[in-house]
Amino acid sequence: MAPSGVADELMLRCLTMFDSRDETEILRRAMAQVSTVGPGRAEAGYLLLGDGLVRCPDDGFRATAALDAQVRELAGRDGPVRFPRRAWGWAFALREPDGLGAPDVRRAPDGACVDGPRVSHGSGPPDGLRGALVVSSRDRPGEDERFLLSLLVHQTSAALSIAAAHRRERAQAAELRRARGEREAIRRRLDRSLSDLGHLHEVHDALARAAARGDREAGIARALHRVTGLAAAVEDRFGNLRAWAGPGRPDPYPKPDPAQREELLRDAARRSRPARVRDRLVAVAAPRGELLGALCLVDPEGRADERAVRALDHAASALALELAHLRELAELELRLRRELVDDLLTGADDTSAYARAEAVGHDLHGPHHVVAVRWADGPADDGFLRAVGRAAAGLGLRVLPTRRSGAAVLVARGRP
């Protein structure tokens, strides 16, 4: 049995290994202690990486591929290894002491020599394996030397196990921080989504109330102003103001250049979201691709955020439906008027004619006259018919207009 004084001195020297959390440094310190316990020397050291042992590249010129092959054959067990001109060689498996468990190591320890040759075990390393220490001697060691070597191996294994435990704790703490960060990010995204959903519900509710009251374009502008806090304007496709909500209404309202206005609307219609044009955000109302108008948020200070942009986009969709509905009503009314006039000229049932005239807002009771207007420069078109209708209205006549045989034909109430 080795003298207790020598063992105590070795234990003191081994305490330095426990000061380090670097497994590679612990192994190097252990190798430096081999020569202090007898005539032997440390040939190589290995650390577990994944399912194999990795030899550090700076262990000395004596560590070779042939040695790696011998350690591989031992498969993580203690056993003899052969060296030229050395009477004795042994590979000590560095295992976790009982009670420390056998963690699953999937990545390199901090500071490990990961670029060294790997010694794979095929079926995987034995439980609790942390590495290996290979020692040789010119003579076979005595009982005292073998005891001191086993004491060094035990202390090295304990130091490696503690370092691995600290590394696992750091990894677990980092993973916990990452998981907490992800959870917090998810919570923030959820809060934003719920807030955005509430705002979108407010927008839809405001637009629905405006539609229920029949406020049309003015109601849409007021709803958009209320949910964004910015002045809102509804314009027709030519830039004429149809409705305004909020402060700062221009008086007179500026009239844009027709060519520039057409280009602006077509450019905005090609975009997937409202476009900024100088001090305004502009969204086009274009149902079925037909440009009918535009909805604008007046934002000279650039205060409009993503919520305001989404509100404008939804309000523009509502405006597109409203303008399309008004267009269909106008076209239907014009068709009904023309059909009524055609029937009146050809002779229609009195009861049916009265009801249809009332439906288009014309009182057919009382005397009426038929007025035919021709234009010497060509046949009457819709533009000419509208001009004749405006002229009749200017004379205070209530008329039902149509085109017939190249002329504008008016059924006028009273005497023209």
Side-chain angles (χ1 to χ4, degrees):
M1 181 65 64
S4 60
V6 178
D8 292 342
E9 184 179 353
L10 177 62
M11 290 289 289
L12 290 175
R13 289 197 295 267
C14 287
L15 290 177
T16 63
M17 293 188 294
F18 292 90
D19 296 335
S20 176
R21 296 295 178 261
D22 184 339
E23 290 156 289
T24 301
E25 179 60 27
I26 291 172
L27 184 61
R28 288 172 178 167
R29 292 182 184 182
M31 294 174 66
Q33 297 298 325
V34 172
S35 60
T36 66
V37 300
R41 69 186 183 194
E43 298 286 352
Y46 296 84
L47 289 175
L48 185 69
L49 176 62
D51 60 351
L53 292 173
V54 174
R55 172 165 51 87
C56 294
D58 55 352
D59 284 343
F61 64 90
R62 293 183 297 275
T64 63
L67 176 60
D68 294 339
Q70 294 183 72
V71 175
R72 183 185 307 117
E73 291 176 359
L74 291 174
R77 299 185 301 273
D78 290 357
V81 290
R82 298 177 301 279
F83 292 98
R85 295 181 299 276
R86 306 292 284 183
W88 179 83
W90 197 265
F92 293 93
L94 302 173
R95 301 177 182 279
E96 291 188 348
D98 293 341
L100 289 180
D104 184 18
V105 179
R106 296 299 180 195
R107 54 186 180 148
D110 296 341
C113 305
V114 296
D115 53 339
R118 179 186 296 272
V119 181
S120 176
H121 298 299
S123 60
D127 289 343
L129 184 66
R130 297 254 59 88
L133 177 62
V134 180
V135 179
S136 72
S137 179
R138 293 179 179 178
D139 302 312
R140 297 184 64 82
E143 182 179 355
D144 291 347
E145 294 172 355
R146 291 179 66 90
F147 170 78
L148 293 175
L149 282 174
S150 65
L151 183 61
L152 175 63
V153 167
H154 182 273
Q155 294 298 101
T156 304
S157 299
L160 289 175
S161 299
I162 293 174
H166 279 281
R167 174 168 48 81
R168 290 194 302 273
E169 289 177 359
R170 291 195 300 271
Q172 291 169 356
E175 178 65 19
L176 182 59
R177 288 193 299 270
R178 185 193 64 78
R180 286 175 176 170
E182 288 184 354
R183 184 179 63 183
E184 182 63 22
I186 292 173
R187 186 191 65 78
R188 288 195 298 267
R189 288 197 299 269
L190 180 59
D191 289 344
R192 285 196 300 268
S193 297
L194 290 175
S195 179
D196 290 345
L197 184 60
H199 183 262
L200 188 59
H201 176 75
E202 180 184 356
V203 172
H204 287 171
D205 186 57
L207 294 174
R209 287 198 302 269
R213 289 194 299 265
D215 291 343
R216 298 186 175 180
E217 302 104 309
I220 293 174
R222 285 196 298 270
L224 183 60
H225 167 61
R226 186 163 57 253
V227 298
T228 63
L230 299 172
V234 177
E235 300 172 345
D236 64 15
R237 64 174 300 171
F238 308 109
N240 299 306
L241 184 65
R242 296 176 64 98
W244 179 280
R249 173 177 173 171
D251 188 17
Y253 200 76
K255 180 71 174 180
D257 177 81
Q260 293 181 353
R261 175 70 176 185
E262 189 73 14
E263 181 181 357
L264 183 151
L265 291 185
R266 294 198 178 279
D267 178 67
R270 287 191 293 266
R271 300 174 182 266
S272 60
R273 54 189 282 126
R276 177 167 286 278
V277 181
R278 294 183 295 276
D279 64 342
R280 292 187 173 195
L281 283 171
V282 180
V284 175
R288 299 183 294 274
E290 182 183 9
L291 295 174
L292 296 182
L295 183 59
C296 309
L297 274 179
V298 182
D299 184 32
E301 298 177 359
R303 294 191 295 114
D305 56 10
E306 186 62 28
R307 287 185 173 184
V309 173
R310 281 198 297 266
L312 175 59
D313 196 26
H314 284 276
S317 298
L319 177 63
L321 294 176
E322 178 64 28
L323 294 181
H325 177 63
L326 293 177
R327 169 67 65 85
E328 291 172 356
L329 289 179
E331 292 175 349
L332 176 61
E333 182 178 356
L334 180 60
R335 186 169 65 251
L336 290 176
R337 286 176 178 270
R338 289 180 176 179
E339 291 175 354
L340 175 60
V341 174
D342 290 340
D343 289 345
L344 289 174
L345 295 177
T346 58
D349 176 72
D350 290 345
T351 304
S352 172
Y354 288 141
R356 292 159 62 192
E358 184 178 352
V360 296
H362 186 86
D363 184 6
L364 199 57
H365 294 81
H368 281 70
H369 288 75
V370 177
V371 180
V373 184
R374 290 186 183 278
W375 188 23
D377 291 342
D381 57 11
D382 284 340
F384 178 64
L385 181 61
R386 287 194 295 270
V388 172
R390 287 195 296 269
L395 296 173
L397 296 177
R398 303 279 296 181
V399 298
L400 294 171
T402 189
R403 287 189 292 116
R404 191 179 183 88
S405 301
V409 179
L410 308 177
V411 175
R413 188 171 187 271
R415 179 177 296 275

